[in-house]
Amino acid sequence: MNYIWEVVGRHPTGQQPTGAETIQKLCDRVASSTLLEDRRDAVRALKSLSKKYRMEVGTMAMDHLVRILQTDRADTEILGYALDTLYNIVCSDEEEEPEENQQKQEEDLGVQFTDKFIQEPDNITLLLTLLEEFDFHVRWPGVKLLTALLKSQCAPVQGIILVSPMGVSRLMDLLADSREVIRNDGLLLLQQLTKGNTAIQKIVAFENAFERLLEIITEEGSSDGGIVVEDCLLLLLNLLKNNSSNQNFFKEGSYIQKMKPWFEVGDDNSGWSAQKVTNLHLMLQLVRVMVSPVNSPGATTSCQKAMFQCGLLQQLCTILMATGVPADILTETINTVSEVIRGSEVNQDYFASVNAPSNPPRPAIVVLLMSMVNERQPFVLRCAVLYCFQCFLYKNHKGQGEIVATLLPSTIDANSISAGQLLCGGLFSADSLSNWCAAVALAHALQDNLTQKEQLLRVQLATSLGKPPVSLLQQCTNILSQGDKLDRRGSRVQTKVGLLMLLCTWISNCPIAVMHFLHNQDNVPFLTGQISENLGEDERLVQGLCALLLGICIYYNDNSLENYTKEKLKQLIEKRIGKENFVEKLGFITKHELYSRAAQKPQPAFSTPEHMLFDHEFTKLVKELEGMITKAVLRSSEEEKKEEEVKKTLEQHDSIVTQYKELIREQDSQINELKEQVTLQSSQNEKLQNTITQQFSQIQQHKDQYNILKLKLGKDNQQTGNQAEAAHVNGLQPEELSQLREQLEELQRQNQLLQTQLTEKDSLITSLKAEGVPSAEGSTSELTELQKEVELLKAQLQSQTAEITQLQSERQELLRGSETTAAVPGEDGVYTEKIADLESRLSAQTAETQKLKGEVKTLLESKELMEKELASATSTDAIMQAEKSKLQQEVQESKKEQDDLLMLLADQDQKILSLKQRLKDLGETIEDEDDLDSRDQFDDDDDDEEEVEEEECDE
């Protein structure tokens, strides 16, 4: 302490300063000194006095210490002293063990100083900023101080850190510190920070906390690690418990698969250290957090699936069947396996296939049930086995059937112990806890399973030699009615409650079981006697359960027994018990303290065996049936009849609604099919429309070409007429003339063939119009044939056009020859005849060309009409009718176009006639086309022409 006196100065001899005076002088020195060394020495002195004079230092020096943190941040040494001093003020000395009253006072003092420190939120922000300093003497005291503040006032400090920019991220950096002391204290800090604050838990999780914590656990040796592994597991529990977002993030990040190596326990399980037991216990709790029944069903199912796929469930079952495992680890493992398989069909099937390493091998379920009905086993272990059996049967009809099948006479194996035999043995043993556990386990084998309730009625038990066997249902009621024997056993209430819960579960929603129960003449008098008696506080619960059992007999009664119909049982209650008294006794169940505890969660959690009275699933059944039984007992017969009529009406309405629903489903399916067909037809229609559009454009091009050709032909005809007026044609050789005649005849035959084909097509179009819209396949084939015929006609038209061009060229040659021989007398008549012959052939060829063009036009129009008809085949009936009318309109338009073409042909014929008339006026002889058909006439003309030519040659 000498350096303290050096700082504050020496007092006169014999006068020692008090602690408060010394602290006051040190505070003045901190506040007024200009030299950093003086302030550092004063803060160091305050640190040494802070444990002994905690109150004085906290009261007088806190503000000065905060100011030091703000102003002297460049000096790490003084910052470390100030942070240590504040830590000593806020947190009591952990090395000493003060008395209870003194400890409470120190805790209150720490809370007061914490409140004073966090009155300014900037102080927490300042502390977070100082944690970024890498220096050990600053960072480590800062971590300890913030941890102490969180322990003292968790919620306010959490709120300040949450709103501080990058506050949580700065604290997460502590896990990456290479110095283990800071990293380990950072784990403790994050444990305090994440307690009960979902928002901070999410931020920490998304700061990659899971990855870093699992790495630390692996580095430290997993379950064989030390206290650091325990701290990591506690932090993981804080992050995952009751936080669905973090649980989903943990599962999606494939961190469940990384948990499997934790449970790889070797063959030598002797010598488990206390730390290993603690670590493995926390690891099992972490698995249970992921598959807890309080989680959402979807999240639990996905986690159960992941645990089976990665082999975690198999590893847990290995621990379950291993030897040398401590009792508390074995108990927690059973509870963990229970929740991993609860409601998961795949996991339940796997668990049913697990065998214990015994000779001969026995199913794990049988081994566990042997522990449950053994009164020498620890109470918590028996509760865990019961929970495991309940989870195995939860929503598992297959497993329920297998358990009940072991009780049926046809499947009993005398050489092996089955689950059913163990349950029956526990049900009728002298241990009341075994009675209760076996009754509850058997009730879970019947839960929501009408088939197994009926199957269990077949079970027969041999009571003693020489006596006939009795049914299991009868034996249960016999034990209930033999109250004297129960008294001698002790704990009669627990046994009665277990049996009554089994009977209520068994006969509920099963009229056949109700009939079997009522068939025994002693059961109803026993129940009414139990309900009507005035018993003690302990027996009230039994009275309530008897009332529930009798109410179930009324509610699910099918009136098959004349002596115990619904109405007669209600009259019996009214006479011997009273309806109000019956309802009051029924209400004793839900008013019991242990009932509310059991209803909270599925796992049996009882402090002592005497508190083991209610099962979680049974509380659901009571909640469901209590109101219905009360109404059934209090209602009169007339009201029941009315209600039955209403039920029948509702059933009829439900059946009608069901029929309509089925009809709607069928119509929906038909509509979907029709929609698919419409979609397909629409796509096909689009393709056909595109094809028709392309063909229409091609036809339009052909029309334009045809109009151009027609104009050219018209001009050529005019030029030919003008030239013929003054031309003197040259003579032709007989061979050339015969060739022209043969070509002309061939063209006439082709023209006749084309006219025949055109007539056939016209008849085909007429028949199609009369029949309506053809099928798509037939129309497509006809359209294809029509396209081929159009192409053929086009080719023929081109050939005839070429022939006309050739004839015109020959005519031009004649005209050019006539100019050279115009001066020769006597040749006018000969050339006149040749010109007439050529003109007649040219006019015939022109007429045939015009007819072919008309036929091509008609066929193209027919093709267009057929394509439109093909497109209309994919529409509905209404659209087909519309298309039909449209086609008729197009036919009229086509007729008009044909009329226009005929008018054009008539004009052309008129022009040809006028040309012929002009030739006649000029003195030329013009023969008709019919004369050209006569071969003899042509021969005579040829002979005359030859004679004329010979005479001219003589001249």
Side-chain angles (χ1 to χ4, degrees), residues 71-76 79:
T71 57
D72 293 332
R73 295 183 57 181
D75 186 68
T76 58
L79 290 177

Side-chain angles (χ1 to χ4, degrees), residues 505-529:
T505 305
W506 192 346
I507 71 173
S508 64
N509 200 23
C510 184
I512 298 176
V514 171
M515 183 187 69
H516 278 73
F517 180 79
L518 295 177
H519 190 71
N520 188 348
Q521 301 294 328
D522 298 330
N523 289 340
V524 174
F526 167 73
L527 294 178
T528 55

Side-chain angles (χ1 to χ4, degrees), residues 807-819:
L807 290 173
Q808 288 178 349
S809 63
E810 292 176 357
R811 186 172 180 275
Q812 292 294 331
E813 290 177 357
L814 286 174
L815 291 175
R816 284 196 298 269
S818 64
E819 291 176 357

Side-chain angles (χ1 to χ4, degrees), residues 291-346:
V291 293
S292 175
V294 299
N295 296 343
S296 63
T300 300
T301 302
S302 60
C303 290
Q304 288 172 335
K305 182 179 179 181
M307 289 177 183
F308 175 77
Q309 291 176 346
C310 72
L312 180 58
L313 174 60
Q314 293 84 330
Q315 205 67 44
L316 293 173
C317 291
T318 302
I319 298 176
L320 193 65
M321 295 291 105
T323 56
V325 179
D328 52 348
I329 294 298
L330 181 60
T331 302
E332 190 64 23
T333 304
I334 294 173
N335 289 328
T336 305
V337 171
S338 304
E339 294 182 351
V340 173
I341 67 174
R342 187 176 189 269
S344 175
E345 183 179 356
V346 176

Side-chain angles (χ1 to χ4, degrees), residues 659-934:
Q659 293 176 359
Y660 277 116
K661 285 181 179 179
E662 292 177 355
L663 179 61
I664 291 171
R665 289 192 191 98
E666 293 177 358
Q667 291 178 348
D668 286 340
S669 62
Q670 293 176 359
I671 289 171
N672 292 330
E673 292 177 358
L674 291 174
K675 284 182 178 179
E676 293 176 356
Q677 293 178 4
V678 168
T679 305
L680 180 61
Q681 296 291 344
S682 299
S683 62
Q684 294 178 355
N685 187 22
E686 290 178 0
K687 293 179 181 178
L688 291 174
Q689 289 292 342
N690 295 332
T691 305
I692 290 172
T693 304
Q694 294 175 0
Q695 293 179 354
F696 181 77
S697 63
Q698 293 175 0
I699 292 171
Q700 189 65 36
Q701 291 176 2
H702 292 320
K703 284 183 178 180
D704 296 339
Q705 293 174 1
Y706 168 72
N707 291 330
I708 293 171
L709 290 173
K710 185 170 69 174
L711 292 174
K712 287 182 178 180
L713 288 174
K715 292 180 180 178
D716 292 340
N717 290 333
Q718 290 179 0
Q719 292 176 1
T720 302
N722 294 330
Q723 291 173 357
E725 290 178 358
H728 296 282
V729 297
N730 197 2
L732 292 174
Q733 297 297 326
E735 294 81 3
E736 295 177 354
L737 188 60
S738 63
Q739 289 178 359
L740 289 174
R741 286 175 179 173
E742 291 175 358
Q743 291 176 1
L744 185 59
E745 290 175 356
E746 181 67 23
L747 289 175
Q748 287 177 347
R749 286 195 296 272
Q750 291 178 0
N751 186 14
Q752 186 65 30
L753 179 62
L754 290 174
Q755 287 179 352
T756 305
Q757 293 177 353
L758 182 61
T759 305
E760 292 177 354
K761 298 307 170 189
D762 289 338
S763 63
L764 178 61
I765 292 171
T766 305
S767 64
L768 288 173
K769 290 178 181 179
E771 293 175 359
V773 180
S775 62
E777 295 179 357
S779 298
T780 304
S781 61
E782 291 172 0
L783 183 60
T784 305
E785 294 176 358
L786 188 60
Q787 288 176 347
K788 292 180 180 179
E789 292 171 357
V790 168
E791 294 296 332
L792 181 61
L793 288 175
K794 287 180 180 178
Q796 294 175 357
L797 181 62
Q798 290 176 357
S799 64
Q800 288 199 0
T801 304
E803 291 175 357
I804 291 172
T805 305
Q806 184 179 0
L807 290 173
Q808 288 178 349
S809 63
E810 292 176 357
R811 186 172 180 275
Q812 292 294 331
E813 290 177 357
L814 286 174
L815 291 175
R816 284 196 298 269
S818 64
E819 291 176 357
T820 58
T821 58
V824 179
E827 294 182 354
D828 290 341
V830 176
Y831 282 104
T832 300
E833 292 177 355
K834 292 182 178 180
I835 289 172
D837 183 19
L838 189 61
E839 285 292 332
S840 63
R841 290 165 58 191
L842 182 62
S843 61
Q845 192 68 31
T846 303
E848 290 174 357
T849 301
Q850 294 296 332
K851 289 181 181 180
L852 286 174
K853 289 180 180 180
E855 291 171 358
V856 170
K857 176 67 175 177
T858 305
L859 288 176
L860 289 174
E861 290 173 352
S862 300
K863 175 185 173 184
E864 182 180 1
L865 181 61
M866 292 286 290
E867 289 170 347
K868 291 180 179 180
E869 291 173 349
L870 178 62
S872 65
T874 60
S875 305
T876 58
D877 293 338
I879 298 175
M880 289 172 66
Q881 292 297 330
E883 287 294 330
K884 182 177 178 181
S885 61
K886 184 177 179 181
L887 288 172
Q888 291 176 350
Q889 185 177 359
E890 291 177 353
V891 168
Q892 295 296 328
E893 293 177 356
S894 299
K895 288 183 178 179
K896 291 180 180 179
E897 291 180 359
Q898 290 179 356
D899 294 339
D900 294 338
L901 288 174
L902 292 174
M903 292 294 293
L904 290 173
L905 291 174
D907 294 339
Q908 200 71 15
D909 292 337
Q910 189 66 32
K911 289 180 181 180
I912 291 171
L913 293 174
S914 63
L915 290 173
K916 289 181 178 180
Q917 186 64 36
R918 290 177 65 182
L919 288 173
K920 289 181 180 180
D921 294 339
L922 291 172
E924 298 291 338
T925 304
I926 303 301
E927 296 180 356
D928 294 334
E929 293 178 0
D930 296 335
D931 296 333
L932 295 176
D933 294 336
S934 175

Side-chain angles (χ1 to χ4, degrees), residues 316-471:
L316 293 173
C317 291
T318 302
I319 298 176
L320 193 65
M321 295 291 105
T323 56
V325 179
D328 52 348
I329 294 298
L330 181 60
T331 302
E332 190 64 23
T333 304
I334 294 173
N335 289 328
T336 305
V337 171
S338 304
E339 294 182 351
V340 173
I341 67 174
R342 187 176 189 269
S344 175
E345 183 179 356
V346 176
N347 294 3
Q348 288 167 342
D349 291 342
Y350 171 77
F351 183 70
S353 66
V354 175
N355 289 324
S358 59
N359 192 15
R362 290 177 178 173
I365 297 173
V366 174
V367 175
L368 292 174
L369 288 178
M370 291 172 68
S371 301
M372 186 186 73
V373 297
N374 187 352
E375 55 185 311
R376 289 176 293 181
Q377 293 292 338
F379 172 65
V380 290
L381 179 62
R382 299 174 74 180
C383 290
V385 173
L386 176 62
Y387 183 47
C388 184
F389 191 74
Q390 291 174 351
C391 292
F392 170 68
L393 297 178
Y394 182 72
K395 294 183 179 180
N396 185 7
H397 287 188
K398 178 182 176 183
Q400 289 175 330
E402 292 173 352
I403 296 299
V404 173
T406 59
L407 289 166
L408 299 178
S410 59
T411 58
I412 292 177
D413 186 2
N415 297 324
S416 62
I417 300 175
S418 65
Q421 293 173 358
L422 291 171
L423 291 177
C424 283
L427 193 62
F428 306 124
S429 70
D431 180 29
S432 60
L433 184 58
S434 297
N435 299 155
W436 190 91
C437 290
V440 171
L442 197 55
H444 276 263
L446 306 175
Q447 195 77 37
D448 299 327
N449 196 327
L450 180 62
T451 303
Q452 303 311 321
K453 290 178 182 180
E454 296 176 356
Q455 287 292 324
L456 199 62
L457 295 172
R458 298 169 49 202
V459 177
Q460 300 290 322
L461 301 176
T463 55
S464 60
L465 293 174
K467 291 186 178 181
V470 296
S471 65

